[in-house]
Amino acid sequence: MTVLIISSLTDGHARAVISELDKLGARIELLDLGDYPGRLTLTLAFGDGKRRFLLKRPGEGQLDLDAVRAVWWRRPGAFGLPESLRDPAHRRLAQSEANAAFQGLFAAMEALWINEPTLDAVASYKPYQLALAQRLGLEIPHTVMTSDPEEAREFWRVCQSDVIYKQFIALPDAWWETRRLGDAETKATNEAIRLAPVIFQRHVVAIADLRVTIIGDEIFAAAVNLSDLEYDVDVRMNLNAKHVAHDLPDDVADKLRGLMHRLGLIYGAIDLRLTPDGRYVFLEINPAGQFLYVEEQTGQPIAAALAARLAAG
């Protein structure tokens, strides 16, 4: 049986899971979509009731994709179209055709996916996440997602100026941390949201932030004491953030499993806030969120659990 990881060798998470899969004796293949078309060819053939799905690296062998029984959709990169393809229309055509062929291949493969690409993409939509979480009984922050400055100003008033704002999707070349919305920012933000909607939420006063990694039914929860941080709005901005293992109440754990089931995910990294009165507030879920920093700090065997799930096929 072959396990396919769609990522790149620069990804530490991929390397960690490859190491664990190697211990289990699994055959591992790494697919970097950036290798196509320069160092990779694709063939999908159908005839006489049979099919062939092949990836070839000229001079380096080939991969029979029908032998793949599990796939980790970890961090798919962009296709590596050559700079010599300069005409914009031709580049769009090559990109579109490559995407259609590969996505069709992925949908046709008979394998366990962690996570299935189309479900992974839909699960990333924050409005959908919050709607499902609310429906399942998880507490969520008071939230307004809007491109209407008047709605934003009213939300600011209702929340008594205690508001944070964040992006729908973080892009490599356009990323910012979750921020408190200050008086000086309100006018500029009101004008900017006419061009692109913004997520506004009432700031949730908390004593801890949690990262909850779920693989199937296994839950690995870790907490950061916010009193130890300089910037308590976004844990990612604190290099000294120290995670410790945390026991979730059974009812919260069950609701998070229910959320994963409704989203169709096997793997997910969930962010929660723990309030001073003991309430767990759902913030968001990342279907391909990072876990290595949590594993390194807590000793929780997350990479091994993921490898075992992949190896089980």
PDB file of all heavy atoms in Angstrom, residues 162 164 177-180 203-210 224-238 240-241 272-274 283:
ATOM      1  N   ASP A 162     -15.484  47.240  22.033  1.00  0.00           N
ATOM      2  CA  ASP A 162     -14.610  46.101  22.359  1.00  0.00           C
ATOM      3  C   ASP A 162     -14.702  45.068  21.240  1.00  0.00           C
ATOM      4  O   ASP A 162     -15.408  44.056  21.364  1.00  0.00           O
ATOM      5  CB  ASP A 162     -15.018  45.499  23.699  1.00  0.00           C
ATOM      6  CG  ASP A 162     -13.949  44.565  24.272  1.00  0.00           C
ATOM      7  OD1 ASP A 162     -12.814  44.576  23.744  1.00  0.00           O
ATOM      8  OD2 ASP A 162     -14.249  43.839  25.230  1.00  0.00           O
ATOM      9  N   ILE A 164     -12.729  42.946  17.799  1.00  0.00           N
ATOM     10  CA  ILE A 164     -11.549  42.517  17.043  1.00  0.00           C
ATOM     11  C   ILE A 164     -11.969  42.361  15.586  1.00  0.00           C
ATOM     12  O   ILE A 164     -13.159  42.244  15.265  1.00  0.00           O
ATOM     13  CB  ILE A 164     -10.943  41.197  17.574  1.00  0.00           C
ATOM     14  CG1 ILE A 164     -11.936  40.027  17.447  1.00  0.00           C
ATOM     15  CG2 ILE A 164     -10.490  41.372  19.014  1.00  0.00           C
ATOM     16  CD1 ILE A 164     -11.785  39.195  16.219  1.00  0.00           C
ATOM     17  N   GLU A 177      -2.419  39.689  11.455  1.00  0.00           N
ATOM     18  CA  GLU A 177      -2.893  39.001  12.640  1.00  0.00           C
ATOM     19  C   GLU A 177      -4.276  39.509  13.036  1.00  0.00           C
ATOM     20  O   GLU A 177      -4.731  40.553  12.567  1.00  0.00           O
ATOM     21  CB  GLU A 177      -1.910  39.200  13.798  1.00  0.00           C
ATOM     22  CG  GLU A 177      -1.929  40.583  14.430  1.00  0.00           C
ATOM     23  CD  GLU A 177      -1.148  41.623  13.651  1.00  0.00           C
ATOM     24  OE1 GLU A 177      -0.628  41.313  12.556  1.00  0.00           O
ATOM     25  OE2 GLU A 177      -1.062  42.769  14.141  1.00  0.00           O
ATOM     26  N   THR A 178      -4.954  38.764  13.906  1.00  0.00           N
ATOM     27  CA  THR A 178      -6.196  39.252  14.500  1.00  0.00           C
ATOM     28  C   THR A 178      -5.877  40.479  15.348  1.00  0.00           C
ATOM     29  O   THR A 178      -4.942  40.462  16.142  1.00  0.00           O
ATOM     30  CB  THR A 178      -6.833  38.163  15.376  1.00  0.00           C
ATOM     31  OG1 THR A 178      -7.126  37.020  14.556  1.00  0.00           O
ATOM     32  CG2 THR A 178      -8.111  38.652  16.014  1.00  0.00           C
ATOM     33  N   ARG A 179      -6.670  41.554  15.177  1.00  0.00           N
ATOM     34  CA  ARG A 179      -6.355  42.823  15.832  1.00  0.00           C
ATOM     35  C   ARG A 179      -7.566  43.378  16.579  1.00  0.00           C
ATOM     36  O   ARG A 179      -8.707  43.152  16.177  1.00  0.00           O
ATOM     37  CB  ARG A 179      -5.893  43.868  14.804  1.00  0.00           C
ATOM     38  CG  ARG A 179      -4.635  43.483  14.039  1.00  0.00           C
ATOM     39  CD  ARG A 179      -4.313  44.520  12.967  1.00  0.00           C
ATOM     40  NE  ARG A 179      -3.117  44.161  12.212  1.00  0.00           N
ATOM     41  CZ  ARG A 179      -2.652  44.855  11.184  1.00  0.00           C
ATOM     42  NH1 ARG A 179      -3.288  45.950  10.791  1.00  0.00           N
ATOM     43  NH2 ARG A 179      -1.568  44.470  10.542  1.00  0.00           N
ATOM     44  N   ARG A 180      -7.279  44.147  17.632  1.00  0.00           N
ATOM     45  CA  ARG A 180      -8.325  44.940  18.268  1.00  0.00           C
ATOM     46  C   ARG A 180      -8.629  46.127  17.366  1.00  0.00           C
ATOM     47  O   ARG A 180      -7.730  46.727  16.776  1.00  0.00           O
ATOM     48  CB  ARG A 180      -7.870  45.436  19.641  1.00  0.00           C
ATOM     49  CG  ARG A 180      -7.626  44.341  20.662  1.00  0.00           C
ATOM     50  CD  ARG A 180      -8.893  43.694  21.156  1.00  0.00           C
ATOM     51  NE  ARG A 180      -9.638  44.542  22.062  1.00  0.00           N
ATOM     52  CZ  ARG A 180      -9.452  44.573  23.388  1.00  0.00           C
ATOM     53  NH1 ARG A 180      -8.511  43.814  23.941  1.00  0.00           N
ATOM     54  NH2 ARG A 180     -10.193  45.348  24.158  1.00  0.00           N
ATOM     55  N   HIS A 203     -14.824  41.127  21.249  1.00  0.00           N
ATOM     56  CA  HIS A 203     -13.653  40.551  21.907  1.00  0.00           C
ATOM     57  C   HIS A 203     -14.105  39.637  23.038  1.00  0.00           C
ATOM     58  O   HIS A 203     -14.901  40.032  23.894  1.00  0.00           O
ATOM     59  CB  HIS A 203     -12.763  41.672  22.453  1.00  0.00           C
ATOM     60  CG  HIS A 203     -11.612  41.176  23.245  1.00  0.00           C
ATOM     61  ND1 HIS A 203     -11.383  41.539  24.554  1.00  0.00           N
ATOM     62  CD2 HIS A 203     -10.606  40.319  22.921  1.00  0.00           C
ATOM     63  CE1 HIS A 203     -10.293  40.946  24.999  1.00  0.00           C
ATOM     64  NE2 HIS A 203      -9.813  40.206  24.027  1.00  0.00           N
ATOM     65  N   VAL A 204     -13.609  38.400  23.030  1.00  0.00           N
ATOM     66  CA  VAL A 204     -13.956  37.425  24.066  1.00  0.00           C
ATOM     67  C   VAL A 204     -12.895  37.484  25.156  1.00  0.00           C
ATOM     68  O   VAL A 204     -11.740  37.104  24.940  1.00  0.00           O
ATOM     69  CB  VAL A 204     -14.042  36.000  23.481  1.00  0.00           C
ATOM     70  CG1 VAL A 204     -14.350  34.996  24.593  1.00  0.00           C
ATOM     71  CG2 VAL A 204     -15.091  35.929  22.379  1.00  0.00           C
ATOM     72  N   VAL A 205     -13.275  37.972  26.332  1.00  0.00           N
ATOM     73  CA  VAL A 205     -12.350  37.997  27.459  1.00  0.00           C
ATOM     74  C   VAL A 205     -12.067  36.560  27.876  1.00  0.00           C
ATOM     75  O   VAL A 205     -12.994  35.751  28.066  1.00  0.00           O
ATOM     76  CB  VAL A 205     -12.950  38.795  28.632  1.00  0.00           C
ATOM     77  CG1 VAL A 205     -12.013  38.762  29.837  1.00  0.00           C
ATOM     78  CG2 VAL A 205     -13.222  40.234  28.206  1.00  0.00           C
ATOM     79  N   ALA A 206     -10.797  36.211  27.998  1.00  0.00           N
ATOM     80  CA  ALA A 206     -10.443  34.813  28.240  1.00  0.00           C
ATOM     81  C   ALA A 206      -9.226  34.701  29.146  1.00  0.00           C
ATOM     82  O   ALA A 206      -8.433  35.637  29.278  1.00  0.00           O
ATOM     83  CB  ALA A 206     -10.174  34.107  26.921  1.00  0.00           C
ATOM     84  N   ILE A 207      -9.085  33.522  29.740  1.00  0.00           N
ATOM     85  CA  ILE A 207      -7.890  33.218  30.527  1.00  0.00           C
ATOM     86  C   ILE A 207      -6.942  32.317  29.748  1.00  0.00           C
ATOM     87  O   ILE A 207      -5.764  32.211  30.094  1.00  0.00           O
ATOM     88  CB  ILE A 207      -8.259  32.540  31.864  1.00  0.00           C
ATOM     89  CG1 ILE A 207      -9.051  31.251  31.628  1.00  0.00           C
ATOM     90  CG2 ILE A 207      -9.043  33.510  32.748  1.00  0.00           C
ATOM     91  CD1 ILE A 207      -9.314  30.443  32.895  1.00  0.00           C
ATOM     92  N   ALA A 208      -7.457  31.664  28.698  1.00  0.00           N
ATOM     93  CA  ALA A 208      -6.607  30.756  27.912  1.00  0.00           C
ATOM     94  C   ALA A 208      -7.127  30.639  26.494  1.00  0.00           C
ATOM     95  O   ALA A 208      -8.331  30.755  26.245  1.00  0.00           O
ATOM     96  CB  ALA A 208      -6.548  29.372  28.555  1.00  0.00           C
ATOM     97  N   ASP A 209      -6.201  30.430  25.564  1.00  0.00           N
ATOM     98  CA  ASP A 209      -6.528  30.056  24.193  1.00  0.00           C
ATOM     99  C   ASP A 209      -6.177  28.591  24.015  1.00  0.00           C
ATOM    100  O   ASP A 209      -5.137  28.123  24.519  1.00  0.00           O
ATOM    101  CB  ASP A 209      -5.745  30.898  23.197  1.00  0.00           C
ATOM    102  CG  ASP A 209      -6.520  32.117  22.741  1.00  0.00           C
ATOM    103  OD1 ASP A 209      -7.588  32.393  23.321  1.00  0.00           O
ATOM    104  OD2 ASP A 209      -6.065  32.799  21.806  1.00  0.00           O
ATOM    105  N   LEU A 210      -7.015  27.865  23.284  1.00  0.00           N
ATOM    106  CA  LEU A 210      -6.797  26.442  23.066  1.00  0.00           C
ATOM    107  C   LEU A 210      -6.624  26.143  21.589  1.00  0.00           C
ATOM    108  O   LEU A 210      -7.301  26.729  20.739  1.00  0.00           O
ATOM    109  CB  LEU A 210      -7.976  25.618  23.595  1.00  0.00           C
ATOM    110  CG  LEU A 210      -8.039  25.354  25.098  1.00  0.00           C
ATOM    111  CD1 LEU A 210      -8.522  26.585  25.843  1.00  0.00           C
ATOM    112  CD2 LEU A 210      -8.949  24.177  25.406  1.00  0.00           C
ATOM    113  N   VAL A 224      -2.910  27.710  26.174  1.00  0.00           N
ATOM    114  CA  VAL A 224      -1.917  28.742  26.471  1.00  0.00           C
ATOM    115  C   VAL A 224      -2.527  29.698  27.492  1.00  0.00           C
ATOM    116  O   VAL A 224      -3.633  30.208  27.288  1.00  0.00           O
ATOM    117  CB  VAL A 224      -1.528  29.526  25.206  1.00  0.00           C
ATOM    118  CG1 VAL A 224      -0.617  30.693  25.558  1.00  0.00           C
ATOM    119  CG2 VAL A 224      -0.840  28.629  24.204  1.00  0.00           C
ATOM    120  N   ASN A 225      -1.819  29.941  28.575  1.00  0.00           N
ATOM    121  CA  ASN A 225      -2.257  30.903  29.583  1.00  0.00           C
ATOM    122  C   ASN A 225      -2.060  32.310  29.031  1.00  0.00           C
ATOM    123  O   ASN A 225      -0.932  32.752  28.804  1.00  0.00           O
ATOM    124  CB  ASN A 225      -1.454  30.702  30.878  1.00  0.00           C
ATOM    125  CG  ASN A 225      -1.971  31.551  32.013  1.00  0.00           C
ATOM    126  OD1 ASN A 225      -2.612  32.586  31.813  1.00  0.00           O
ATOM    127  ND2 ASN A 225      -1.702  31.120  33.238  1.00  0.00           N
ATOM    128  N   LEU A 226      -3.151  33.039  28.842  1.00  0.00           N
ATOM    129  CA  LEU A 226      -3.059  34.349  28.209  1.00  0.00           C
ATOM    130  C   LEU A 226      -2.385  35.396  29.093  1.00  0.00           C
ATOM    131  O   LEU A 226      -1.868  36.396  28.587  1.00  0.00           O
ATOM    132  CB  LEU A 226      -4.456  34.840  27.807  1.00  0.00           C
ATOM    133  CG  LEU A 226      -5.141  34.031  26.702  1.00  0.00           C
ATOM    134  CD1 LEU A 226      -6.502  34.628  26.374  1.00  0.00           C
ATOM    135  CD2 LEU A 226      -4.286  33.963  25.451  1.00  0.00           C
ATOM    136  N   SER A 227      -2.375  35.173  30.388  1.00  0.00           N
ATOM    137  CA  SER A 227      -1.726  36.143  31.276  1.00  0.00           C
ATOM    138  C   SER A 227      -0.220  36.168  31.082  1.00  0.00           C
ATOM    139  O   SER A 227       0.452  37.115  31.498  1.00  0.00           O
ATOM    140  CB  SER A 227      -2.059  35.834  32.738  1.00  0.00           C
ATOM    141  OG  SER A 227      -1.503  34.581  33.127  1.00  0.00           O
ATOM    142  N   ASP A 228       0.326  35.131  30.423  1.00  0.00           N
ATOM    143  CA  ASP A 228       1.771  35.064  30.181  1.00  0.00           C
ATOM    144  C   ASP A 228       2.180  35.756  28.881  1.00  0.00           C
ATOM    145  O   ASP A 228       3.371  35.837  28.578  1.00  0.00           O
ATOM    146  CB  ASP A 228       2.228  33.592  30.109  1.00  0.00           C
ATOM    147  CG  ASP A 228       2.035  32.862  31.430  1.00  0.00           C
ATOM    148  OD1 ASP A 228       2.014  33.537  32.472  1.00  0.00           O
ATOM    149  OD2 ASP A 228       1.915  31.625  31.406  1.00  0.00           O
ATOM    150  N   LEU A 229       1.197  36.236  28.105  1.00  0.00           N
ATOM    151  CA  LEU A 229       1.483  36.756  26.775  1.00  0.00           C
ATOM    152  C   LEU A 229       1.440  38.280  26.725  1.00  0.00           C
ATOM    153  O   LEU A 229       0.670  38.914  27.440  1.00  0.00           O
ATOM    154  CB  LEU A 229       0.473  36.198  25.763  1.00  0.00           C
ATOM    155  CG  LEU A 229       0.325  34.674  25.693  1.00  0.00           C
ATOM    156  CD1 LEU A 229      -0.666  34.296  24.609  1.00  0.00           C
ATOM    157  CD2 LEU A 229       1.663  33.995  25.459  1.00  0.00           C
ATOM    158  N   GLU A 230       2.277  38.827  25.854  1.00  0.00           N
ATOM    159  CA  GLU A 230       2.248  40.273  25.634  1.00  0.00           C
ATOM    160  C   GLU A 230       1.076  40.671  24.749  1.00  0.00           C
ATOM    161  O   GLU A 230       0.487  41.743  24.926  1.00  0.00           O
ATOM    162  CB  GLU A 230       3.561  40.728  24.985  1.00  0.00           C
ATOM    163  CG  GLU A 230       4.787  40.590  25.878  1.00  0.00           C
ATOM    164  CD  GLU A 230       6.041  41.110  25.204  1.00  0.00           C
ATOM    165  OE1 GLU A 230       5.922  41.739  24.114  1.00  0.00           O
ATOM    166  OE2 GLU A 230       7.125  40.907  25.749  1.00  0.00           O
ATOM    167  N   TYR A 231       0.737  39.826  23.789  1.00  0.00           N
ATOM    168  CA  TYR A 231      -0.342  40.136  22.846  1.00  0.00           C
ATOM    169  C   TYR A 231      -1.382  39.032  22.958  1.00  0.00           C
ATOM    170  O   TYR A 231      -1.226  37.955  22.368  1.00  0.00           O
ATOM    171  CB  TYR A 231       0.218  40.224  21.421  1.00  0.00           C
ATOM    172  CG  TYR A 231      -0.765  40.778  20.409  1.00  0.00           C
ATOM    173  CD1 TYR A 231      -1.110  42.119  20.406  1.00  0.00           C
ATOM    174  CD2 TYR A 231      -1.333  39.961  19.437  1.00  0.00           C
ATOM    175  CE1 TYR A 231      -1.997  42.643  19.480  1.00  0.00           C
ATOM    176  CE2 TYR A 231      -2.222  40.461  18.494  1.00  0.00           C
ATOM    177  CZ  TYR A 231      -2.548  41.804  18.525  1.00  0.00           C
ATOM    178  OH  TYR A 231      -3.434  42.305  17.602  1.00  0.00           O
ATOM    179  N   ASP A 232      -2.441  39.277  23.723  1.00  0.00           N
ATOM    180  CA  ASP A 232      -3.386  38.210  24.034  1.00  0.00           C
ATOM    181  C   ASP A 232      -4.518  38.080  23.024  1.00  0.00           C
ATOM    182  O   ASP A 232      -5.412  37.255  23.198  1.00  0.00           O
ATOM    183  CB  ASP A 232      -3.960  38.390  25.440  1.00  0.00           C
ATOM    184  CG  ASP A 232      -4.829  39.648  25.555  1.00  0.00           C
ATOM    185  OD1 ASP A 232      -4.901  40.409  24.582  1.00  0.00           O
ATOM    186  OD2 ASP A 232      -5.426  39.850  26.632  1.00  0.00           O
ATOM    187  N   VAL A 233      -4.502  38.877  21.953  1.00  0.00           N
ATOM    188  CA  VAL A 233      -5.553  38.787  20.945  1.00  0.00           C
ATOM    189  C   VAL A 233      -5.263  37.683  19.933  1.00  0.00           C
ATOM    190  O   VAL A 233      -6.171  37.054  19.408  1.00  0.00           O
ATOM    191  CB  VAL A 233      -5.721  40.146  20.231  1.00  0.00           C
ATOM    192  CG1 VAL A 233      -6.800  40.063  19.149  1.00  0.00           C
ATOM    193  CG2 VAL A 233      -6.088  41.232  21.239  1.00  0.00           C
ATOM    194  N   ASP A 234      -3.976  37.423  19.680  1.00  0.00           N
ATOM    195  CA  ASP A 234      -3.585  36.420  18.688  1.00  0.00           C
ATOM    196  C   ASP A 234      -2.331  35.717  19.185  1.00  0.00           C
ATOM    197  O   ASP A 234      -1.235  36.288  19.187  1.00  0.00           O
ATOM    198  CB  ASP A 234      -3.323  37.087  17.336  1.00  0.00           C
ATOM    199  CG  ASP A 234      -3.205  36.078  16.197  1.00  0.00           C
ATOM    200  OD1 ASP A 234      -2.782  34.937  16.459  1.00  0.00           O
ATOM    201  OD2 ASP A 234      -3.542  36.429  15.048  1.00  0.00           O
ATOM    202  N   VAL A 235      -2.497  34.475  19.622  1.00  0.00           N
ATOM    203  CA  VAL A 235      -1.389  33.710  20.211  1.00  0.00           C
ATOM    204  C   VAL A 235      -0.210  33.593  19.252  1.00  0.00           C
ATOM    205  O   VAL A 235       0.951  33.553  19.667  1.00  0.00           O
ATOM    206  CB  VAL A 235      -1.885  32.306  20.625  1.00  0.00           C
ATOM    207  CG1 VAL A 235      -0.712  31.401  21.007  1.00  0.00           C
ATOM    208  CG2 VAL A 235      -2.858  32.407  21.790  1.00  0.00           C
ATOM    209  N   ARG A 236      -0.491  33.584  17.948  1.00  0.00           N
ATOM    210  CA  ARG A 236       0.572  33.393  16.951  1.00  0.00           C
ATOM    211  C   ARG A 236       1.629  34.486  17.000  1.00  0.00           C
ATOM    212  O   ARG A 236       2.745  34.291  16.519  1.00  0.00           O
ATOM    213  CB  ARG A 236      -0.044  33.338  15.550  1.00  0.00           C
ATOM    214  CG  ARG A 236      -0.976  32.180  15.311  1.00  0.00           C
ATOM    215  CD  ARG A 236      -1.709  32.334  13.997  1.00  0.00           C
ATOM    216  NE  ARG A 236      -2.564  33.518  13.971  1.00  0.00           N
ATOM    217  CZ  ARG A 236      -3.270  33.912  12.915  1.00  0.00           C
ATOM    218  NH1 ARG A 236      -3.214  33.203  11.794  1.00  0.00           N
ATOM    219  NH2 ARG A 236      -4.028  34.995  12.974  1.00  0.00           N
ATOM    220  N   MET A 237       1.294  35.618  17.576  1.00  0.00           N
ATOM    221  CA  MET A 237       2.216  36.750  17.599  1.00  0.00           C
ATOM    222  C   MET A 237       3.150  36.723  18.813  1.00  0.00           C
ATOM    223  O   MET A 237       3.933  37.653  19.003  1.00  0.00           O
ATOM    224  CB  MET A 237       1.420  38.064  17.593  1.00  0.00           C
ATOM    225  CG  MET A 237       0.465  38.190  16.428  1.00  0.00           C
ATOM    226  SD  MET A 237       1.271  37.943  14.827  1.00  0.00           S
ATOM    227  CE  MET A 237       2.349  39.376  14.784  1.00  0.00           C
ATOM    228  N   ASN A 238       3.077  35.664  19.605  1.00  0.00           N
ATOM    229  CA  ASN A 238       3.893  35.560  20.820  1.00  0.00           C
ATOM    230  C   ASN A 238       4.882  34.403  20.691  1.00  0.00           C
ATOM    231  O   ASN A 238       4.491  33.237  20.735  1.00  0.00           O
ATOM    232  CB  ASN A 238       2.998  35.323  22.041  1.00  0.00           C
ATOM    233  CG  ASN A 238       2.043  36.471  22.281  1.00  0.00           C
ATOM    234  OD1 ASN A 238       2.368  37.437  22.967  1.00  0.00           O
ATOM    235  ND2 ASN A 238       0.846  36.377  21.715  1.00  0.00           N
ATOM    236  N   ASN A 240       6.934  33.455  22.807  1.00  0.00           N
ATOM    237  CA  ASN A 240       7.114  32.767  24.083  1.00  0.00           C
ATOM    238  C   ASN A 240       5.887  31.961  24.499  1.00  0.00           C
ATOM    239  O   ASN A 240       5.833  31.443  25.624  1.00  0.00           O
ATOM    240  CB  ASN A 240       7.430  33.785  25.186  1.00  0.00           C
ATOM    241  CG  ASN A 240       6.263  34.737  25.437  1.00  0.00           C
ATOM    242  OD1 ASN A 240       5.515  35.045  24.511  1.00  0.00           O
ATOM    243  ND2 ASN A 240       6.111  35.204  26.666  1.00  0.00           N
ATOM    244  N   ALA A 241       4.884  31.850  23.618  1.00  0.00           N
ATOM    245  CA  ALA A 241       3.665  31.126  23.975  1.00  0.00           C
ATOM    246  C   ALA A 241       3.989  29.667  24.288  1.00  0.00           C
ATOM    247  O   ALA A 241       4.599  28.968  23.484  1.00  0.00           O
ATOM    248  CB  ALA A 241       2.656  31.215  22.836  1.00  0.00           C
ATOM    249  N   LEU A 272     -10.168  27.638  20.194  1.00  0.00           N
ATOM    250  CA  LEU A 272     -11.189  27.970  21.187  1.00  0.00           C
ATOM    251  C   LEU A 272     -10.627  28.991  22.157  1.00  0.00           C
ATOM    252  O   LEU A 272      -9.414  29.134  22.304  1.00  0.00           O
ATOM    253  CB  LEU A 272     -11.626  26.734  21.993  1.00  0.00           C
ATOM    254  CG  LEU A 272     -12.097  25.476  21.269  1.00  0.00           C
ATOM    255  CD1 LEU A 272     -12.316  24.360  22.295  1.00  0.00           C
ATOM    256  CD2 LEU A 272     -13.381  25.734  20.509  1.00  0.00           C
ATOM    257  N   ARG A 273     -11.526  29.690  22.869  1.00  0.00           N
ATOM    258  CA  ARG A 273     -11.137  30.550  23.987  1.00  0.00           C
ATOM    259  C   ARG A 273     -11.853  30.048  25.242  1.00  0.00           C
ATOM    260  O   ARG A 273     -13.040  29.701  25.201  1.00  0.00           O
ATOM    261  CB  ARG A 273     -11.506  32.011  23.744  1.00  0.00           C
ATOM    262  CG  ARG A 273     -10.761  32.669  22.614  1.00  0.00           C
ATOM    263  CD  ARG A 273     -10.549  34.152  22.852  1.00  0.00           C
ATOM    264  NE  ARG A 273      -9.120  34.408  23.040  1.00  0.00           N
ATOM    265  CZ  ARG A 273      -8.608  35.585  23.360  1.00  0.00           C
ATOM    266  NH1 ARG A 273      -9.411  36.626  23.589  1.00  0.00           N
ATOM    267  NH2 ARG A 273      -7.310  35.739  23.485  1.00  0.00           N
ATOM    268  N   LEU A 274     -11.107  30.022  26.354  1.00  0.00           N
ATOM    269  CA  LEU A 274     -11.665  29.617  27.641  1.00  0.00           C
ATOM    270  C   LEU A 274     -11.869  30.867  28.489  1.00  0.00           C
ATOM    271  O   LEU A 274     -10.912  31.594  28.785  1.00  0.00           O
ATOM    272  CB  LEU A 274     -10.724  28.639  28.344  1.00  0.00           C
ATOM    273  CG  LEU A 274     -11.125  28.194  29.752  1.00  0.00           C
ATOM    274  CD1 LEU A 274     -12.492  27.507  29.748  1.00  0.00           C
ATOM    275  CD2 LEU A 274     -10.061  27.254  30.333  1.00  0.00           C
ATOM    276  N   LEU A 283     -13.842  29.630  17.958  1.00  0.00           N
ATOM    277  CA  LEU A 283     -13.397  30.713  17.082  1.00  0.00           C
ATOM    278  C   LEU A 283     -13.392  30.279  15.625  1.00  0.00           C
ATOM    279  O   LEU A 283     -13.998  30.915  14.774  1.00  0.00           O
ATOM    280  CB  LEU A 283     -12.014  31.203  17.498  1.00  0.00           C
ATOM    281  CG  LEU A 283     -11.891  31.777  18.915  1.00  0.00           C
ATOM    282  CD1 LEU A 283     -10.458  32.233  19.175  1.00  0.00           C
ATOM    283  CD2 LEU A 283     -12.879  32.912  19.150  1.00  0.00           C
TER     284      LEU A 283
END
